[in-house]
Amino acid sequence: QLQLVESGGGLVQPGGSLGLSCAASGNIDSIYGMGWYRQAPGKKRELVAHITSSSITTYADSVKGRFTISRDNAKNTVYLQMNSLKPEDTAVYYCNTDLGTMIGWGQGTQVTVSS
């Protein structure tokens, strides 16, 4: 099965930016949907951004205009550019395929937005 590894998290100031990467172990060219999800302590995991094989993107209202999801099929990588970060963006961020959400999750990468 496809393995996904998230990276790029860290500590940033409110208003700052951070770019996350999701490296896949195989070809993502034919995967219809991939997304970035986040989970804060005590909260449910939520979808924040989604991209299709034809690069149609959707975003949660809470991140619209601030986050950008993209994919580079040649590099088998999905990205999440996060701008104008807010403390409420603090969470562990995960990437997954649409089908993968029914199977399991990786380690994720921690994003902390704090002064």
Side-chain angles (χ1 to χ4, degrees):
Q1 64 272 41
L2 192 68
Q3 302 296 315
L4 303 172
V5 179
E6 303 93 342
S7 63
L11 175 64
V12 296
Q13 301 283 330
S17 297
L18 200 61
L20 306 183
S21 296
C22 173
S25 63
N27 192 357
I28 65 169
D29 187 25
S30 298
I31 298 176
Y32 176 77
M34 300 190 70
W36 283 95
Y37 303 75
R38 67 186 182 189
Q39 186 170 29
K43 298 182 180 179
K44 294 180 178 179
R45 184 181 286 110
E46 63 173 341
L47 176 68
V48 298
H50 185 268
I51 187 166
T52 70
S53 58
S54 58
S55 295
I56 298 171
T57 59
T58 55
Y59 300 90
D61 287 342
S62 59
V63 308
K64 191 180 295 292
R66 300 187 297 118
F67 290 10
T68 303
I69 188 171
S70 61
R71 63 194 292 168
D72 187 337
N73 291 342
K75 296 181 178 179
N76 294 323
T77 302
V78 179
Y79 303 97
L80 185 68
Q81 180 62 44
M82 310 164 68
N83 299 325
S84 301
L85 283 161
K86 304 174 180 180
E88 52 262 44
D89 295 319
T90 296
V92 178
Y93 283 71
Y94 304 86
C95 66
N96 216 336
T97 67
D98 291 354
L99 292 176
T101 63
M102 300 290 107
I103 299 171
W105 302 86
Q107 182 174 314
T109 185
Q110 176 72 49
V111 173
T112 302
V113 185
S114 177
S115 299

